[in-house]
Amino acid sequence: MRTPGGVNGADVHAWVAQKPARMGPDLFITGDISNEETVATLRENRRSCVEKPFRVQQFISVVEGNHRGAV
């Protein structure tokens, strides 16, 4: 959710959501899950999330849709 510069993950999601040609569901990767604003954004947008640090198998499981990420 936090990125360098003036754009954050929520901003990127809002931009992508407006694109009609976007592919598949979104997946957030964040180390900021303890931040209330981050959790609110993920819940509001009903998006999966992989928390950093994560194991590769955990990431693969969420990407394959076998497990909804934390939130």
Short mmCIF file of all heavy atoms in Angstrom, two decimals:
data_model
loop_
_atom_site.label_atom_id
_atom_site.label_comp_id
_atom_site.label_asym_id
_atom_site.label_seq_id
_atom_site.Cartn_x
_atom_site.Cartn_y
_atom_site.Cartn_z
N MET A 1 0.81 -1.19 0.00
CA MET A 1 0.00 0.00 0.00
C MET A 1 0.86 1.26 0.00
O MET A 1 0.46 2.25 -0.55
CB MET A 1 -0.92 0.00 1.21
CG MET A 1 -1.96 -1.11 1.19
SD MET A 1 -3.09 -1.01 -0.19
CE MET A 1 -4.13 0.34 0.31
N ARG A 2 2.01 1.18 0.65
CA ARG A 2 2.92 2.33 0.63
C ARG A 2 3.90 2.14 -0.52
O ARG A 2 4.47 1.08 -0.69
CB ARG A 2 3.72 2.42 1.92
CG ARG A 2 2.90 2.80 3.11
CD ARG A 2 3.83 3.08 4.25
NE ARG A 2 3.17 2.80 5.50
CZ ARG A 2 3.72 3.00 6.68
NH1 ARG A 2 4.95 3.44 6.75
NH2 ARG A 2 3.05 2.73 7.77
N THR A 3 4.08 3.18 -1.29
CA THR A 3 5.02 3.14 -2.40
C THR A 3 5.83 4.43 -2.39
O THR A 3 5.38 5.43 -1.84
CB THR A 3 4.29 3.01 -3.75
OG1 THR A 3 3.41 4.13 -3.90
CG2 THR A 3 3.49 1.73 -3.84
N PRO A 4 6.98 4.41 -3.01
CA PRO A 4 7.76 5.64 -3.08
C PRO A 4 7.04 6.68 -3.93
O PRO A 4 6.30 6.34 -4.85
CB PRO A 4 9.06 5.21 -3.76
CG PRO A 4 9.02 3.75 -3.91
CD PRO A 4 7.65 3.28 -3.62
N GLY A 5 7.23 7.92 -3.61
CA GLY A 5 6.60 8.98 -4.39
C GLY A 5 5.23 9.34 -3.83
O GLY A 5 4.88 9.00 -2.72
N GLY A 6 4.43 10.01 -4.62
CA GLY A 6 3.15 10.51 -4.15
C GLY A 6 1.97 9.61 -4.39
O GLY A 6 0.84 9.98 -4.10
N VAL A 7 2.18 8.41 -4.93
CA VAL A 7 1.08 7.49 -5.23
C VAL A 7 1.15 6.32 -4.26
O VAL A 7 2.21 5.80 -3.98
CB VAL A 7 1.19 6.98 -6.68
CG1 VAL A 7 0.09 5.99 -7.00
CG2 VAL A 7 1.17 8.13 -7.66
N ASN A 8 -0.02 5.88 -3.77
CA ASN A 8 -0.03 4.70 -2.89
C ASN A 8 -0.85 3.59 -3.54
O ASN A 8 -1.43 3.77 -4.61
CB ASN A 8 -0.56 5.06 -1.50
CG ASN A 8 -2.00 5.53 -1.53
OD1 ASN A 8 -2.82 5.03 -2.27
ND2 ASN A 8 -2.32 6.50 -0.69
N GLY A 9 -0.89 2.44 -2.88
CA GLY A 9 -1.60 1.29 -3.42
C GLY A 9 -3.07 1.54 -3.66
O GLY A 9 -3.65 1.06 -4.64
N ALA A 10 -3.72 2.30 -2.79
CA ALA A 10 -5.13 2.62 -2.97
C ALA A 10 -5.33 3.47 -4.22
O ALA A 10 -6.29 3.28 -4.97
CB ALA A 10 -5.67 3.33 -1.74
N ASP A 11 -4.40 4.40 -4.47
CA ASP A 11 -4.47 5.22 -5.68
C ASP A 11 -4.31 4.36 -6.93
O ASP A 11 -5.03 4.53 -7.92
CB ASP A 11 -3.38 6.29 -5.68
CG ASP A 11 -3.55 7.32 -4.58
OD1 ASP A 11 -4.69 7.53 -4.11
OD2 ASP A 11 -2.53 7.93 -4.19
N VAL A 12 -3.37 3.44 -6.90
CA VAL A 12 -3.15 2.54 -8.04
C VAL A 12 -4.40 1.71 -8.28
O VAL A 12 -4.86 1.54 -9.41
CB VAL A 12 -1.92 1.64 -7.82
CG1 VAL A 12 -1.82 0.57 -8.91
CG2 VAL A 12 -0.65 2.47 -7.77
N HIS A 13 -4.99 1.17 -7.21
CA HIS A 13 -6.20 0.36 -7.35
C HIS A 13 -7.32 1.18 -7.97
O HIS A 13 -8.03 0.71 -8.86
CB HIS A 13 -6.65 -0.20 -6.00
CG HIS A 13 -7.95 -0.92 -6.12
ND1 HIS A 13 -9.15 -0.29 -5.86
CD2 HIS A 13 -8.23 -2.17 -6.52
CE1 HIS A 13 -10.12 -1.15 -6.08
NE2 HIS A 13 -9.60 -2.30 -6.48
N ALA A 14 -7.53 2.40 -7.52
CA ALA A 14 -8.58 3.25 -8.07
C ALA A 14 -8.37 3.50 -9.57
O ALA A 14 -9.31 3.47 -10.35
CB ALA A 14 -8.63 4.58 -7.31
N TRP A 15 -7.12 3.70 -9.97
CA TRP A 15 -6.80 3.92 -11.38
C TRP A 15 -7.07 2.66 -12.20
O TRP A 15 -7.70 2.71 -13.25
CB TRP A 15 -5.35 4.36 -11.51
CG TRP A 15 -4.93 4.62 -12.92
CD1 TRP A 15 -5.17 5.73 -13.66
CD2 TRP A 15 -4.21 3.72 -13.77
NE1 TRP A 15 -4.64 5.59 -14.91
CE2 TRP A 15 -4.05 4.37 -15.01
CE3 TRP A 15 -3.69 2.44 -13.60
CZ2 TRP A 15 -3.38 3.76 -16.07
CZ3 TRP A 15 -3.03 1.84 -14.65
CH2 TRP A 15 -2.88 2.50 -15.87
N VAL A 16 -6.60 1.52 -11.71
CA VAL A 16 -6.79 0.25 -12.43
C VAL A 16 -8.27 -0.10 -12.53
O VAL A 16 -8.73 -0.57 -13.57
CB VAL A 16 -6.00 -0.89 -11.74
CG1 VAL A 16 -6.37 -2.25 -12.32
CG2 VAL A 16 -4.50 -0.66 -11.86
N ALA A 17 -9.03 0.15 -11.49
CA ALA A 17 -10.46 -0.19 -11.47
C ALA A 17 -11.23 0.56 -12.55
O ALA A 17 -12.30 0.12 -12.96
CB ALA A 17 -11.04 0.09 -10.09
N GLN A 18 -10.72 1.67 -13.00
CA GLN A 18 -11.40 2.47 -14.03
C GLN A 18 -11.07 2.00 -15.45
O GLN A 18 -11.67 2.49 -16.40
CB GLN A 18 -11.01 3.94 -13.89
CG GLN A 18 -11.48 4.55 -12.61
CD GLN A 18 -11.00 5.99 -12.47
OE1 GLN A 18 -10.48 6.59 -13.40
NE2 GLN A 18 -11.17 6.55 -11.28
N LYS A 19 -10.14 1.08 -15.57
CA LYS A 19 -9.71 0.63 -16.90
C LYS A 19 -10.56 -0.57 -17.34
O LYS A 19 -10.53 -1.62 -16.71
CB LYS A 19 -8.23 0.24 -16.89
CG LYS A 19 -7.31 1.34 -16.42
CD LYS A 19 -7.42 2.54 -17.35
CE LYS A 19 -6.62 3.70 -16.82
NZ LYS A 19 -6.89 4.94 -17.49
N PRO A 20 -11.31 -0.42 -18.45
CA PRO A 20 -12.19 -1.51 -18.89
C PRO A 20 -11.44 -2.75 -19.36
O PRO A 20 -11.99 -3.84 -19.31
CB PRO A 20 -12.98 -0.88 -20.04
CG PRO A 20 -12.17 0.27 -20.50
CD PRO A 20 -11.40 0.74 -19.30
N ALA A 21 -10.21 -2.61 -19.78
CA ALA A 21 -9.46 -3.75 -20.31
C ALA A 21 -8.61 -4.44 -19.27
O ALA A 21 -7.83 -5.32 -19.59
CB ALA A 21 -8.59 -3.29 -21.47
N ARG A 22 -8.76 -4.08 -18.00
CA ARG A 22 -7.91 -4.71 -16.99
C ARG A 22 -8.20 -6.20 -16.90
O ARG A 22 -9.29 -6.65 -17.19
CB ARG A 22 -8.06 -4.03 -15.63
CG ARG A 22 -9.34 -4.34 -14.94
CD ARG A 22 -9.43 -3.51 -13.66
NE ARG A 22 -10.59 -3.94 -12.92
CZ ARG A 22 -10.54 -4.72 -11.86
NH1 ARG A 22 -9.39 -5.11 -11.39
NH2 ARG A 22 -11.63 -5.09 -11.25
N MET A 23 -7.22 -6.96 -16.47
CA MET A 23 -7.37 -8.41 -16.45
C MET A 23 -7.45 -8.93 -15.02
O MET A 23 -6.65 -8.58 -14.19
CB MET A 23 -6.17 -9.04 -17.15
CG MET A 23 -6.04 -8.64 -18.60
SD MET A 23 -4.55 -9.30 -19.36
CE MET A 23 -4.74 -11.04 -19.06
N GLY A 24 -8.42 -9.78 -14.77
CA GLY A 24 -8.51 -10.52 -13.53
C GLY A 24 -8.63 -9.69 -12.27
O GLY A 24 -8.66 -8.48 -12.31
N PRO A 25 -8.71 -10.37 -11.15
CA PRO A 25 -8.83 -9.69 -9.86
C PRO A 25 -7.50 -9.07 -9.42
O PRO A 25 -6.44 -9.47 -9.89
CB PRO A 25 -9.25 -10.80 -8.91
CG PRO A 25 -8.77 -12.05 -9.55
CD PRO A 25 -8.79 -11.81 -11.03
N ASP A 26 -7.62 -8.11 -8.54
CA ASP A 26 -6.44 -7.43 -8.01
C ASP A 26 -5.94 -8.17 -6.77
O ASP A 26 -6.69 -8.83 -6.08
CB ASP A 26 -6.79 -6.00 -7.59
CG ASP A 26 -7.42 -5.21 -8.71
OD1 ASP A 26 -7.09 -5.47 -9.87
OD2 ASP A 26 -8.24 -4.34 -8.41
N LEU A 27 -4.66 -8.00 -6.50
CA LEU A 27 -4.05 -8.58 -5.32
C LEU A 27 -3.08 -7.55 -4.74
O LEU A 27 -2.20 -7.06 -5.45
CB LEU A 27 -3.27 -9.85 -5.68
CG LEU A 27 -2.41 -10.46 -4.59
CD1 LEU A 27 -3.27 -10.95 -3.43
CD2 LEU A 27 -1.57 -11.57 -5.15
N PHE A 28 -3.29 -7.21 -3.49
CA PHE A 28 -2.38 -6.29 -2.82
C PHE A 28 -1.32 -7.08 -2.08
O PHE A 28 -1.60 -8.15 -1.52
CB PHE A 28 -3.13 -5.43 -1.80
CG PHE A 28 -3.94 -4.32 -2.42
CD1 PHE A 28 -5.29 -4.47 -2.63
CD2 PHE A 28 -3.33 -3.12 -2.75
CE1 PHE A 28 -6.04 -3.45 -3.19
CE2 PHE A 28 -4.06 -2.10 -3.31
CZ PHE A 28 -5.43 -2.26 -3.53
N ILE A 29 -0.12 -6.55 -2.07
CA ILE A 29 0.97 -7.09 -1.26
C ILE A 29 1.43 -5.94 -0.38
O ILE A 29 1.79 -4.88 -0.88
CB ILE A 29 2.13 -7.60 -2.13
CG1 ILE A 29 1.65 -8.72 -3.04
CG2 ILE A 29 3.29 -8.06 -1.25
CD1 ILE A 29 2.68 -9.18 -4.05
N THR A 30 1.41 -6.15 0.93
CA THR A 30 1.75 -5.05 1.83
C THR A 30 2.40 -5.54 3.11
O THR A 30 2.15 -6.65 3.56
CB THR A 30 0.49 -4.21 2.18
OG1 THR A 30 0.88 -3.10 2.98
CG2 THR A 30 -0.55 -5.03 2.92
N GLY A 31 3.22 -4.70 3.66
CA GLY A 31 3.81 -4.92 4.97
C GLY A 31 3.17 -3.96 5.97
O GLY A 31 3.65 -3.80 7.09
N ASP A 32 2.09 -3.33 5.56
CA ASP A 32 1.45 -2.26 6.33
C ASP A 32 0.07 -2.67 6.84
O ASP A 32 -0.82 -1.84 6.99
CB ASP A 32 1.34 -1.03 5.43
CG ASP A 32 1.06 0.24 6.19
OD1 ASP A 32 1.47 0.34 7.36
OD2 ASP A 32 0.42 1.14 5.62
N ILE A 33 -0.12 -3.94 7.11
CA ILE A 33 -1.45 -4.45 7.49
C ILE A 33 -1.88 -3.97 8.88
O ILE A 33 -3.06 -4.01 9.21
CB ILE A 33 -1.50 -5.99 7.38
CG1 ILE A 33 -2.92 -6.48 7.24
CG2 ILE A 33 -0.80 -6.66 8.54
CD1 ILE A 33 -3.55 -6.18 5.91
N SER A 34 -0.95 -3.47 9.68
CA SER A 34 -1.33 -2.97 11.00
C SER A 34 -1.90 -1.55 10.93
O SER A 34 -2.47 -1.06 11.89
CB SER A 34 -0.14 -3.00 11.96
OG SER A 34 0.89 -2.15 11.47
N ASN A 35 -1.79 -0.92 9.77
CA ASN A 35 -2.32 0.42 9.57
C ASN A 35 -3.83 0.34 9.33
O ASN A 35 -4.29 -0.34 8.42
CB ASN A 35 -1.62 1.06 8.37
CG ASN A 35 -2.06 2.47 8.10
OD1 ASN A 35 -3.24 2.79 8.07
ND2 ASN A 35 -1.09 3.33 7.84
N GLU A 36 -4.62 1.04 10.13
CA GLU A 36 -6.08 0.99 10.02
C GLU A 36 -6.58 1.44 8.65
O GLU A 36 -7.55 0.90 8.13
CB GLU A 36 -6.72 1.82 11.13
CG GLU A 36 -6.55 1.23 12.51
CD GLU A 36 -7.21 2.08 13.59
OE1 GLU A 36 -8.15 2.83 13.28
OE2 GLU A 36 -6.77 1.98 14.74
N GLU A 37 -5.92 2.43 8.07
CA GLU A 37 -6.33 2.92 6.75
C GLU A 37 -6.11 1.84 5.68
O GLU A 37 -6.94 1.67 4.78
CB GLU A 37 -5.53 4.17 6.39
CG GLU A 37 -5.99 4.81 5.10
CD GLU A 37 -5.23 6.10 4.80
OE1 GLU A 37 -4.73 6.75 5.74
OE2 GLU A 37 -5.16 6.44 3.62
N THR A 38 -5.03 1.11 5.79
CA THR A 38 -4.76 0.02 4.85
C THR A 38 -5.83 -1.04 4.95
O THR A 38 -6.39 -1.49 3.94
CB THR A 38 -3.37 -0.61 5.13
OG1 THR A 38 -2.37 0.38 4.92
CG2 THR A 38 -3.10 -1.79 4.23
N VAL A 39 -6.14 -1.47 6.16
CA VAL A 39 -7.16 -2.50 6.37
C VAL A 39 -8.51 -2.02 5.85
O VAL A 39 -9.24 -2.76 5.18
CB VAL A 39 -7.24 -2.90 7.86
CG1 VAL A 39 -8.41 -3.83 8.11
CG2 VAL A 39 -5.94 -3.55 8.30
N ALA A 40 -8.86 -0.76 6.12
CA ALA A 40 -10.13 -0.21 5.65
C ALA A 40 -10.20 -0.23 4.12
O ALA A 40 -11.23 -0.59 3.55
CB ALA A 40 -10.32 1.19 6.19
N THR A 41 -9.11 0.15 3.47
CA THR A 41 -9.08 0.15 2.00
C THR A 41 -9.27 -1.25 1.45
O THR A 41 -10.04 -1.46 0.51
CB THR A 41 -7.75 0.75 1.49
OG1 THR A 41 -7.65 2.10 1.93
CG2 THR A 41 -7.67 0.70 -0.03
N LEU A 42 -8.59 -2.23 2.02
CA LEU A 42 -8.70 -3.60 1.55
C LEU A 42 -10.12 -4.14 1.76
O LEU A 42 -10.68 -4.78 0.87
CB LEU A 42 -7.69 -4.49 2.28
CG LEU A 42 -6.22 -4.19 1.95
CD1 LEU A 42 -5.31 -4.94 2.91
CD2 LEU A 42 -5.91 -4.52 0.51
N ARG A 43 -10.70 -3.86 2.90
CA ARG A 43 -12.07 -4.32 3.16
C ARG A 43 -13.07 -3.63 2.25
O ARG A 43 -13.97 -4.27 1.71
CB ARG A 43 -12.43 -4.08 4.63
CG ARG A 43 -11.77 -5.06 5.54
CD ARG A 43 -12.28 -4.92 6.96
NE ARG A 43 -11.65 -5.94 7.78
CZ ARG A 43 -11.41 -5.80 9.06
NH1 ARG A 43 -11.75 -4.69 9.69
NH2 ARG A 43 -10.83 -6.76 9.74
N GLU A 44 -12.92 -2.34 2.10
CA GLU A 44 -13.84 -1.56 1.27
C GLU A 44 -13.84 -2.06 -0.18
O GLU A 44 -14.88 -2.14 -0.82
CB GLU A 44 -13.44 -0.09 1.30
CG GLU A 44 -14.28 0.81 0.42
CD GLU A 44 -13.78 2.25 0.48
OE1 GLU A 44 -13.47 2.73 1.58
OE2 GLU A 44 -13.70 2.87 -0.59
N ASN A 45 -12.67 -2.41 -0.67
CA ASN A 45 -12.54 -2.85 -2.05
C ASN A 45 -12.63 -4.37 -2.21
O ASN A 45 -12.55 -4.88 -3.32
CB ASN A 45 -11.23 -2.34 -2.64
CG ASN A 45 -11.25 -0.84 -2.79
OD1 ASN A 45 -12.02 -0.30 -3.56
ND2 ASN A 45 -10.43 -0.15 -2.00
N ARG A 46 -12.76 -5.07 -1.09
CA ARG A 46 -12.89 -6.54 -1.11
C ARG A 46 -11.78 -7.19 -1.93
O ARG A 46 -12.03 -7.95 -2.84
CB ARG A 46 -14.25 -6.95 -1.62
CG ARG A 46 -15.37 -6.49 -0.74
CD ARG A 46 -16.68 -7.04 -1.22
NE ARG A 46 -17.73 -6.61 -0.32
CZ ARG A 46 -18.90 -6.17 -0.72
NH1 ARG A 46 -19.20 -6.15 -1.99
NH2 ARG A 46 -19.80 -5.78 0.17
N ARG A 47 -10.56 -6.85 -1.57
CA ARG A 47 -9.40 -7.36 -2.29
C ARG A 47 -8.59 -8.31 -1.42
O ARG A 47 -8.49 -8.14 -0.21
CB ARG A 47 -8.48 -6.22 -2.75
CG ARG A 47 -9.12 -5.32 -3.75
CD ARG A 47 -9.38 -6.07 -5.05
NE ARG A 47 -10.13 -5.25 -5.97
CZ ARG A 47 -11.34 -5.57 -6.43
NH1 ARG A 47 -11.93 -6.66 -6.05
NH2 ARG A 47 -11.95 -4.79 -7.28
N SER A 48 -8.01 -9.30 -2.08
CA SER A 48 -7.09 -10.20 -1.39
C SER A 48 -5.80 -9.46 -1.09
O SER A 48 -5.44 -8.52 -1.78
CB SER A 48 -6.78 -11.42 -2.27
OG SER A 48 -7.93 -12.21 -2.44
N CYS A 49 -5.13 -9.94 -0.05
CA CYS A 49 -3.89 -9.32 0.36
C CYS A 49 -2.92 -10.37 0.84
O CYS A 49 -3.30 -11.29 1.56
CB CYS A 49 -4.18 -8.32 1.49
SG CYS A 49 -2.69 -7.58 2.18
N VAL A 50 -1.68 -10.24 0.43
CA VAL A 50 -0.60 -11.07 0.95
C VAL A 50 0.26 -10.15 1.79
O VAL A 50 0.70 -9.09 1.34
CB VAL A 50 0.23 -11.69 -0.20
CG1 VAL A 50 1.41 -12.47 0.36
CG2 VAL A 50 -0.64 -12.59 -1.07
N GLU A 51 0.47 -10.56 3.04
CA GLU A 51 1.26 -9.73 3.96
C GLU A 51 2.74 -10.05 3.82
O GLU A 51 3.13 -11.21 3.74
CB GLU A 51 0.85 -10.02 5.41
CG GLU A 51 -0.54 -9.57 5.75
CD GLU A 51 -0.86 -9.90 7.20
OE1 GLU A 51 -0.06 -9.53 8.08
OE2 GLU A 51 -1.90 -10.54 7.43
N LYS A 52 3.54 -8.99 3.78
CA LYS A 52 5.00 -9.16 3.78
C LYS A 52 5.47 -9.26 5.21
O LYS A 52 4.93 -8.59 6.07
CB LYS A 52 5.68 -7.97 3.11
CG LYS A 52 5.42 -7.87 1.64
CD LYS A 52 6.31 -6.84 0.99
CE LYS A 52 5.75 -5.45 1.11
NZ LYS A 52 6.52 -4.41 0.43
N PRO A 53 6.47 -10.04 5.48
CA PRO A 53 7.07 -11.01 4.58
C PRO A 53 6.15 -12.20 4.38
O PRO A 53 5.35 -12.53 5.25
CB PRO A 53 8.36 -11.40 5.29
CG PRO A 53 8.05 -11.24 6.74
CD PRO A 53 7.07 -10.09 6.82
N PHE A 54 6.26 -12.86 3.25
CA PHE A 54 5.42 -14.02 2.98
C PHE A 54 6.26 -15.13 2.37
O PHE A 54 7.35 -14.90 1.86
CB PHE A 54 4.27 -13.66 2.04
CG PHE A 54 4.72 -13.07 0.72
CD1 PHE A 54 5.03 -13.88 -0.35
CD2 PHE A 54 4.81 -11.70 0.56
CE1 PHE A 54 5.44 -13.34 -1.56
CE2 PHE A 54 5.21 -11.14 -0.65
CZ PHE A 54 5.54 -11.98 -1.71
N ARG A 55 5.72 -16.33 2.45
CA ARG A 55 6.37 -17.48 1.83
C ARG A 55 5.83 -17.61 0.40
O ARG A 55 4.68 -17.28 0.15
CB ARG A 55 6.09 -18.76 2.61
CG ARG A 55 6.64 -18.71 4.03
CD ARG A 55 6.53 -20.07 4.69
NE ARG A 55 7.05 -20.04 6.04
CZ ARG A 55 8.33 -20.16 6.37
NH1 ARG A 55 9.23 -20.31 5.44
NH2 ARG A 55 8.71 -20.13 7.62
N VAL A 56 6.64 -18.09 -0.50
CA VAL A 56 6.25 -18.21 -1.90
C VAL A 56 4.97 -19.04 -2.03
O VAL A 56 4.06 -18.69 -2.78
CB VAL A 56 7.39 -18.81 -2.74
CG1 VAL A 56 6.93 -19.12 -4.15
CG2 VAL A 56 8.58 -17.87 -2.76
N GLN A 57 4.87 -20.13 -1.28
CA GLN A 57 3.68 -20.99 -1.38
C GLN A 57 2.42 -20.24 -0.95
O GLN A 57 1.35 -20.43 -1.51
CB GLN A 57 3.85 -22.27 -0.56
CG GLN A 57 2.74 -23.27 -0.80
CD GLN A 57 2.59 -23.63 -2.28
OE1 GLN A 57 3.56 -23.90 -2.98
NE2 GLN A 57 1.36 -23.61 -2.77
N GLN A 58 2.54 -19.38 0.04
CA GLN A 58 1.41 -18.57 0.48
C GLN A 58 0.96 -17.65 -0.67
O GLN A 58 -0.23 -17.53 -0.95
CB GLN A 58 1.82 -17.74 1.70
CG GLN A 58 0.77 -16.80 2.21
CD GLN A 58 1.31 -15.90 3.32
OE1 GLN A 58 2.52 -15.87 3.59
NE2 GLN A 58 0.43 -15.17 3.96
N PHE A 59 1.90 -17.01 -1.33
CA PHE A 59 1.60 -16.13 -2.46
C PHE A 59 0.93 -16.92 -3.58
O PHE A 59 -0.10 -16.51 -4.12
CB PHE A 59 2.89 -15.47 -2.96
CG PHE A 59 2.69 -14.63 -4.18
CD1 PHE A 59 2.15 -13.36 -4.08
CD2 PHE A 59 3.06 -15.11 -5.42
CE1 PHE A 59 1.97 -12.58 -5.21
CE2 PHE A 59 2.88 -14.33 -6.56
CZ PHE A 59 2.33 -13.07 -6.44
N ILE A 60 1.49 -18.05 -3.93
CA ILE A 60 0.93 -18.88 -5.00
C ILE A 60 -0.49 -19.30 -4.67
O ILE A 60 -1.38 -19.26 -5.52
CB ILE A 60 1.83 -20.12 -5.26
CG1 ILE A 60 3.15 -19.67 -5.88
CG2 ILE A 60 1.12 -21.14 -6.15
CD1 ILE A 60 4.21 -20.76 -5.93
N SER A 61 -0.73 -19.67 -3.43
CA SER A 61 -2.06 -20.09 -3.00
C SER A 61 -3.10 -18.99 -3.20
O SER A 61 -4.20 -19.21 -3.69
CB SER A 61 -2.02 -20.52 -1.53
OG SER A 61 -3.29 -20.93 -1.10
N VAL A 62 -2.74 -17.77 -2.84
CA VAL A 62 -3.66 -16.64 -3.01
C VAL A 62 -3.88 -16.35 -4.49
O VAL A 62 -5.00 -16.15 -4.94
CB VAL A 62 -3.16 -15.39 -2.26
CG1 VAL A 62 -4.03 -14.19 -2.57
CG2 VAL A 62 -3.14 -15.63 -0.75
N VAL A 63 -2.80 -16.36 -5.27
CA VAL A 63 -2.91 -16.08 -6.71
C VAL A 63 -3.79 -17.14 -7.39
O VAL A 63 -4.60 -16.82 -8.25
CB VAL A 63 -1.52 -16.04 -7.37
CG1 VAL A 63 -1.62 -16.03 -8.89
CG2 VAL A 63 -0.76 -14.81 -6.88
N GLU A 64 -3.64 -18.39 -7.00
CA GLU A 64 -4.44 -19.46 -7.60
C GLU A 64 -5.87 -19.47 -7.09
O GLU A 64 -6.69 -20.23 -7.58
CB GLU A 64 -3.77 -20.81 -7.35
CG GLU A 64 -2.48 -20.98 -8.13
CD GLU A 64 -1.79 -22.30 -7.84
OE1 GLU A 64 -2.10 -22.94 -6.81
OE2 GLU A 64 -0.94 -22.69 -8.65
N GLY A 65 -6.16 -18.63 -6.11
CA GLY A 65 -7.52 -18.53 -5.60
C GLY A 65 -7.90 -19.57 -4.58
O GLY A 65 -9.07 -19.76 -4.28
N ASN A 66 -6.89 -20.25 -4.03
CA ASN A 66 -7.17 -21.30 -3.05
C ASN A 66 -7.37 -20.74 -1.64
O ASN A 66 -7.78 -21.45 -0.75
CB ASN A 66 -6.03 -22.31 -3.02
CG ASN A 66 -5.88 -23.00 -4.35
OD1 ASN A 66 -6.86 -23.22 -5.06
ND2 ASN A 66 -4.66 -23.33 -4.73
N HIS A 67 -7.03 -19.48 -1.47
CA HIS A 67 -7.11 -18.89 -0.14
C HIS A 67 -7.27 -17.41 -0.29
O HIS A 67 -6.51 -16.76 -0.99
CB HIS A 67 -5.83 -19.21 0.64
CG HIS A 67 -5.74 -18.49 1.95
ND1 HIS A 67 -6.52 -18.83 3.02
CD2 HIS A 67 -4.98 -17.46 2.34
CE1 HIS A 67 -6.22 -18.02 4.02
NE2 HIS A 67 -5.30 -17.18 3.64
N ARG A 68 -8.25 -16.84 0.37
CA ARG A 68 -8.41 -15.38 0.35
C ARG A 68 -7.41 -14.82 1.35
O ARG A 68 -7.32 -15.29 2.47
CB ARG A 68 -9.83 -15.00 0.74
CG ARG A 68 -10.02 -13.51 0.77
CD ARG A 68 -11.33 -13.15 0.13
NE ARG A 68 -11.61 -11.76 0.31
CZ ARG A 68 -11.31 -10.82 -0.57
NH1 ARG A 68 -10.74 -11.13 -1.69
NH2 ARG A 68 -11.60 -9.56 -0.34
N GLY A 69 -6.66 -13.85 0.94
CA GLY A 69 -5.65 -13.24 1.80
C GLY A 69 -6.25 -12.60 3.03
O GLY A 69 -7.46 -12.42 3.15
N ALA A 70 -5.40 -12.24 3.94
CA ALA A 70 -5.81 -11.66 5.22
C ALA A 70 -6.54 -10.35 5.04
O ALA A 70 -6.24 -9.59 4.15
CB ALA A 70 -4.58 -11.43 6.09
N VAL A 71 -7.47 -10.08 5.86
CA VAL A 71 -8.18 -8.82 6.06
C VAL A 71 -9.55 -9.13 6.58
O VAL A 71 -10.29 -9.91 6.18
CB VAL A 71 -8.30 -7.93 4.81
CG1 VAL A 71 -9.08 -6.69 5.20
CG2 VAL A 71 -6.94 -7.54 4.34
#
